[in-house]
Amino acid sequence: MVYALYNPSCNVNIWNLNYQCLASVIDLGLQRDVRASPSYQISLFTQEMRTRVFWVTYTFDRTVCTMMGRPIGLRDEACEIRFPLDIPDSNLMNRTANQPMSLEAPSHMSYSIHLFKLAQLNSEIKYVMHSICRDAPAYAYPPVKDIFAWQRDMMRSLQEWQSAVPQPPRDQDTGMTAYCHAKYHETMVLLLRPSPAIPAPAPEMLDLCVQHAFMLLQCFGVLYDAGRLLYSRLAVHAVFLGTLVLLHGIWKLPETATRFRMDELIRRLNTAQSILSSIGEHWAEAASARDCIAQLSNLTVQRLLKSQAGPGEIASSPMRHRLRDPGVPAAQLQHVDQRSRVVQGQSSTSYEDDPTLSWQAGLLGQPPTATSSPPSEFLNLFDDLLRCDFEGWSGVSDLDGLIREIFSSSQHES
């Protein structure tokens, strides 16, 4: 399963493989909380490995189902939830369950347990917001009566999860903190974007979703610049969807575009194209996603420049030429982007704070209220693009459909 996710060119069907893993978990009873007792002797090593294998499979199931827009395979109520102990592999053989844990620096298990908790929140979002049938049968759990109150509670839960991300010493940072922040923004996008439960989010929620998509690309840029981004199907999906949500929100809410500096917006779009270009050298679907983003990004920047400047100023604007050409090598793109960071005096390792975003100070409070702005003549341009024929895509009515069509067409071509 891990090999298939991180080597997309192997053409292994991860959906079928995911269900084979779930079947093995159930067949071995790993979803049950089995512990040592007087009547059943089991070592701590065996107990913890059973729990770890279950949680890895559980997390893969939630991740794959979310990425592919399909139902969850193993429901939460069928499992006895117990998180593994925060014990490094080196100490697992020489420790007992009742032995106190020392206050050490976060281990790889610290981050794993924290990501397992996020998988539970992801699971709840899938159940509540992304179920196709909105009328729960009588034998199911009681439905959520106030979806908007539930959404606000889930936002607080995700914010609490982010605030509890393990913080390693500066000299021991492996990039997992930045990765956890990226997963936080990715899950917030899943919560706030249009879904079967809330097909038309309020403008302030869609605006907040766009801000998280922007920060998602910034986190991936940090990992990419530091050489710590692992190329996988998951990275392609997160970067591609985050960019589409960002562009979609800019066209849906013209006032949202005013929250970003133009050079910052172009930098994030360039980051997405750089990552997809690098992955596209090994996987054709990533190159197709990059080409789609390049077309939409170029048109978006040109329209924004046109709305901010006179006709004579657009052709001479340096911003117009900074958007990346998908044919440029990834190494050259990264050099240009790093050089632009130096010019702007920005740090390439800062992902938590961005002085260009006035909304970030209110993330832990209520969602920002959309500010008034002049109406835009290009309000529905992005929606029209999703329904038209450009460069070989037939057109769909939603973002998930666009992703499926691009990936499917690339698979048929190869």
Side-chain angles (χ1 to χ4, degrees):
M1 186 70 172
V2 175
Y3 178 82
L5 284 173
Y6 287 90
N7 294 273
S9 59
C10 68
N11 292 325
V12 175
N13 190 318
I14 61 172
W15 179 252
N16 290 340
L17 193 58
N18 174 57
Y19 267 78
Q20 291 178 20
C21 293
L22 292 177
S24 297
V25 164
I26 297 174
D27 187 42
L28 295 172
L30 302 185
Q31 82 279 13
R32 303 300 301 272
D33 184 9
V34 177
R35 308 193 192 193
S37 64
S39 59
Y40 184 76
Q41 298 297 323
I42 181 175
S43 66
L44 177 64
F45 176 82
T46 302
Q47 172 184 306
E48 286 304 298
M49 291 308 297
R50 287 174 55 91
T51 307
R52 290 184 183 189
V53 171
F54 163 76
W55 275 107
V56 169
T57 308
Y58 176 98
T59 303
F60 274 151
D61 178 56
R62 270 52 182 171
T63 301
V64 171
C65 293
T66 299
M67 180 178 66
M68 303 185 72
R70 295 178 179 178
I72 287 174
L74 182 61
R75 294 183 63 86
D76 289 49
E77 60 268 23
C79 309
E80 292 178 318
I81 302 298
R82 181 185 73 83
F83 291 106
L85 298 176
D86 189 359
I87 304 177
D89 295 343
S90 57
N91 299 338
L92 192 58
M93 296 293 294
N94 304 317
R95 194 172 190 142
T96 59
N98 56 2
Q99 188 174 354
M101 289 178 285
S102 60
L103 298 177
E104 304 170 346
S107 65
H108 70 282
M109 280 306 301
S110 303
Y111 291 104
S112 298
I113 294 171
H114 205 62
L115 290 172
F116 294 156
K117 295 177 181 179
L118 182 64
Q120 275 192 300
L121 298 176
N122 188 357
S123 182
E124 183 176 350
I125 294 173
K126 283 284 293 180
Y127 280 136
V128 176
M129 297 197 68
H130 293 266
S131 296
I132 301 301
C133 180
R134 304 311 306 169
D135 296 326
Y139 55 81
Y141 280 111
V144 175
K145 295 182 178 180
D146 188 344
I147 188 67
F148 300 105
W150 173 88
Q151 187 182 44
R152 291 191 295 270
D153 291 340
M154 179 57 67
M155 288 173 61
R156 283 190 288 269
S157 297
L158 288 172
Q159 290 159 7
E160 292 172 359
W161 181 89
Q162 186 200 29
S163 63
V165 171
Q167 300 294 329
R170 289 183 178 273
D171 58 343
Q172 299 181 17
D173 187 11
T174 60
M176 283 303 300
T177 301
Y179 178 76
C180 287
H181 283 286
K183 293 298 293 183
Y184 161 74
H185 293 296
E186 183 181 354
T187 310
M188 286 293 285
V189 169
L190 177 68
L191 175 66
L192 298 171
R193 70 185 179 94
S195 64
I198 308 178
E204 59 271 16
M205 287 298 184
L206 184 58
D207 178 78
L208 188 58
C209 181
V210 173
Q211 317 302 336
H212 282 287
F214 183 91
M215 294 300 293
L216 173 63
L217 297 181
Q218 183 171 344
C219 292
F220 272 107
V222 171
L223 293 170
Y224 179 72
D225 292 342
R228 291 172 173 169
L229 179 62
L230 298 178
Y231 295 168
S232 66
R233 300 172 188 259
L234 309 179
V236 172
H237 180 269
V239 172
F240 185 47
L241 181 60
T243 307
L244 288 182
V245 168
L246 175 60
L247 296 173
H248 176 72
I250 288 175
W251 291 119
K252 272 287 187 181
L253 304 172
E255 64 275 7
T256 298
T258 63
R259 297 182 183 274
F260 307 108
R261 282 195 340 221
M262 184 62 70
D263 62 329
E264 288 292 331
L265 178 61
I266 293 176
R267 186 181 302 167
R268 300 295 165 250
L269 297 175
N270 286 349
T271 295
Q273 292 185 50
S274 288
I275 295 173
L276 295 176
S277 293
S278 298
I279 303 177
E281 297 176 1
H282 312 282
W283 190 35
E285 282 80 351
S288 299
R290 176 207 60 199
D291 294 341
C292 175
I293 285 177
Q295 295 178 55
L296 297 176
S297 299
N298 278 315
L299 183 57
T300 300
V301 172
Q302 291 175 18
R303 294 298 188 180
L304 289 177
L305 290 173
K306 183 177 179 181
S307 65
Q308 296 177 7
E313 300 176 10
I314 298 177
S316 60
S317 173
M319 293 297 180
R320 187 175 185 273
H321 302 286
R322 284 180 56 187
L323 201 61
R324 295 172 178 168
D325 188 331
V328 178
Q332 181 179 348
L333 294 176
Q334 185 176 2
H335 171 71
V336 172
D337 191 44
Q338 289 175 343
R339 183 177 61 183
S340 67
R341 290 172 183 241
V342 174
V343 171
Q344 295 298 328
Q346 299 276 346
S347 170
S348 62
T349 59
S350 175
Y351 54 87
E352 292 177 297
D353 301 304
D354 191 327
T356 65
L357 301 178
S358 59
W359 59 272
Q360 185 152 357
L363 268 183
L364 296 179
Q366 294 296 326
T369 303
T371 57
S372 60
S373 63
S376 171
E377 58 180 307
F378 311 110
L379 179 60
N380 297 318
L381 179 60
F382 194 88
D383 287 342
D384 294 338
L385 280 172
L386 291 180
R387 293 177 172 84
C388 72
D389 185 9
F390 65 101
E391 295 292 329
W393 287 289
S394 62
V396 290
S397 59
D398 59 85
L399 301 178
D400 291 332
L402 180 62
I403 294 177
R404 285 194 299 269
E405 184 168 337
I406 290 174
F407 287 174
S408 298
S409 63
S410 301
Q411 204 168 29
H412 295 327
E413 291 172 2
S414 59

